[in-house]
Amino acid sequence: MNAEERFALITENLEEVLNPELIQDILKEGRNPKVYWGTSPTGKPHCGYLVPAVKIAQLLAAGCEVTVLIADIHGFLDNFSNTAPIELVEYRAKYYQFTITAMLQAVGVSTEKLRFVLGSSYQKSPEYIMDVYKLCSLVSEHAAKKAGAEIVKQSSNAPLSGLLYPILQVLDEQYLDVDVQFGGLDQRKLFAASTEWHPKLGYKKRSHLCNVMVPGLTGGKMSSSEEDSKIDLLELADSIRKKIRKAQAAPREIENNGILAFVQYVLFPAMALKSPTPEFRISRERDGLEPLVYTSIEKMHEDYKNDILSPQLLKPAVAEAIVEMTAPIRAAFEASAEWQEVTLKAYPPPPPKQKKDKKKDKGSRYPGAGSGETPNGVEP
């Protein structure tokens, strides 16, 4: 690919690119852009993570050098310490590395080309901490809150850790030695802060790739904390089919449609990485008709608006595609005793509820009532 083709693949399906000229200049020089994507190990990764996974595959196909940051200290700072100790975050970081590795392999990414980095491996160094202090002296409370508004839990009396979170993430770009940070559109304010804050420390500006935010199965944001909104990457096949059947997908409406969005941002790009002419087939066997075959999301949207493609036809096809895509992840989990052991430590099951013994109210009519005796005739 030439520089223009590489840039087109790097920016395909993105919501926005900040400072795109920085990437274009690197490509014109013939250098490979260095990109990082970070994730904070809190709730279990779900199928929404396949959206960045596909983009990472595209970045690698465009010749980028990609780093995956498992941001364990970020996970602790994000108000997590209120609900679990740092030791739990450490187990979750291991769980994330297992899961993300299997997820990337499932969409065709060779993890040999990736660099995995644990945040705590450099975020406790004297140089990094000194830069945290420097930014704390240069950035206002208002600016820090604004930068983290969409990604950090905030309240009227929030812990100071929420203010540190965006400062650390901005510094990660420098200490991971990258040209570009890739993340969801919900991080746009933080990306804008990076452009403003780095020059204050004498560091270069970076480019930022803003990925789309795919709607959840219930119509809102796909979230680890909302069980019905997402599909776990290790979810069983029957459970996947059941959740897709129940998913919100109004006929003729393509906006805020999580099922169509998944096809657009995961299934089509993943197929395109394997074949120059991707096809998504939707069976109409029950109606005695030929299958619908799509080679572009635009035609699928058109048919959905015209009710040629109905939710009843679309959902089973998407469910089977997700079952097929996540099958290697489930197989990898079943084959790894270490991963299974880490899962129990990272997400321990809640303790069983203990039944409380309730005293029976025998009323006032049992023999001996009112005489100061218990039912068996023994003085209380």
Side-chain angles (χ1 to χ4, degrees):
M1 290 185 285
N2 59 33
E4 289 77 15
E5 290 168 333
R6 292 175 72 190
F7 183 74
L9 186 54
I10 289 168
T11 57
E12 182 180 307
N13 270 339
L14 293 176
E15 192 72 29
E16 189 177 2
V17 181
L18 306 182
N19 303 317
E21 68 283 353
L22 299 179
I23 301 174
Q24 290 169 320
D25 289 345
I26 291 169
L27 293 172
K28 287 174 186 174
E29 293 169 8
R31 187 163 65 82
N32 293 330
K34 292 184 283 186
V35 186
Y36 106 81
W37 173 71
T39 181
S40 174
T42 50
K44 285 185 177 180
H46 49 71
C47 279
Y49 283 62
L50 288 166
V51 179
V54 167
K55 174 48 67 179
I56 288 170
Q58 290 179 319
L59 293 172
L60 288 168
C64 296
E65 298 173 18
V66 181
T67 296
V68 174
L69 172 67
I70 310 292
D72 52 344
I73 289 183
H74 289 75
F76 181 68
L77 290 177
D78 188 14
N79 205 20
F80 193 60
S81 55
N82 287 351
T83 56
I86 187 66
E87 291 78 17
L88 196 60
V89 182
E90 292 171 1
Y91 287 124
R92 291 188 177 181
K94 292 176 183 176
Y95 177 88
Y96 265 57
Q97 180 145 357
F98 275 120
T99 308
I100 290 167
T101 299
M103 173 187 70
L104 292 170
Q105 290 171 345
V107 296
V109 176
S110 172
T111 50
E112 293 175 3
K113 299 177 182 178
L114 289 174
R115 178 173 68 134
F116 280 89
V117 176
L118 196 64
S120 57
S121 67
Y122 66 88
Q123 288 167 345
K124 294 186 281 187
S125 70
E127 297 80 12
Y128 187 92
I129 295 300
M130 194 64 227
D131 273 348
V132 170
Y133 292 156
K134 287 177 183 177
L135 269 187
C136 284
S137 71
L138 296 169
V139 174
S140 70
E141 176 190 359
H142 174 76
K145 281 184 176 178
K146 182 180 176 182
E150 302 294 326
I151 56 172
V152 180
K153 299 181 184 74
Q154 296 192 353
S155 63
S156 58
N157 190 28
L160 287 174
S161 57
L163 299 178
L164 284 175
Y165 191 107
I167 287 174
L168 265 64
Q169 188 166 337
V170 165
L171 287 175
D172 289 341
E173 296 175 352
Q174 176 68 23
Y175 282 80
L176 291 170
D177 187 28
V178 297
D179 308 299
V180 184
Q181 183 178 173
F182 163 54
L185 187 63
D186 56 347
Q187 300 187 66
R188 191 193 186 284
K189 290 177 181 177
L190 193 146
F191 292 163
S194 167
T195 302
E196 180 185 346
W197 297 353
H198 268 140
K200 293 182 178 183
L201 295 176
Y203 297 146
K204 68 178 183 180
K205 289 195 298 185
R206 269 74 180 185
S207 180
H208 296 90
L209 308 176
C210 297
N211 217 8
V212 295
M213 302 299 292
V214 173
L217 302 180
T218 53
K221 181 180 175 182
M222 194 176 289
S223 170
S224 295
S225 59
E226 295 182 30
E227 185 60 33
D228 290 338
S229 78
K230 48 92 178 182
I231 292 171
D232 193 282
L233 286 169
L234 291 171
E235 195 130 357
L236 297 177
D238 286 346
S239 180
I240 291 173
R241 295 184 184 104
K242 183 179 178 181
K243 282 190 174 181
I244 294 296
R245 277 197 305 271
K246 291 169 59 181
Q248 180 177 310
R252 299 177 181 269
E253 292 184 17
I254 63 172
E255 298 298 324
N256 206 31
N257 186 321
I259 305 296
L260 278 173
F262 196 85
V263 177
Q264 180 174 359
Y265 295 109
V266 176
L267 299 181
F268 262 124
M271 289 187 290
L273 288 165
K274 297 176 182 178
S275 168
T277 54
E279 289 185 349
F280 189 73
R281 304 176 72 85
I282 296 178
S283 173
R284 294 190 293 177
E285 188 178 350
R286 67 178 187 181
D287 300 324
L289 299 171
E290 291 293 313
L292 294 169
V293 181
Y294 294 101
T295 58
S296 73
I297 192 65
E298 290 77 18
K299 177 60 176 170
M300 185 177 280
H301 281 172
E302 181 186 332
D303 281 3
Y304 197 85
K305 284 180 181 178
N306 294 324
D307 210 29
I308 296 169
L309 174 60
S310 66
Q312 291 75 21
L313 291 172
L314 177 64
K315 286 181 176 183
V318 172
E320 293 311 312
I322 295 174
V323 168
E324 183 181 344
M325 183 173 278
T326 54
I329 306 175
R330 290 189 295 275
F333 177 77
E334 292 298 329
S336 174
E338 186 182 358
W339 188 356
Q340 294 170 36
E341 184 182 345
V342 164
T343 303
L344 291 174
K345 292 177 179 176
Y347 300 97
K353 291 182 180 178
Q354 294 197 353
K355 291 182 179 179
K356 291 183 180 178
D357 291 333
K358 288 185 179 179
K359 273 191 172 182
K360 272 191 174 181
D361 182 2
K362 299 182 182 296
S364 58
R365 295 182 177 271
Y366 60 81
S371 66
E373 296 181 351
T374 58
N376 60 6
V378 179
E379 288 291 329

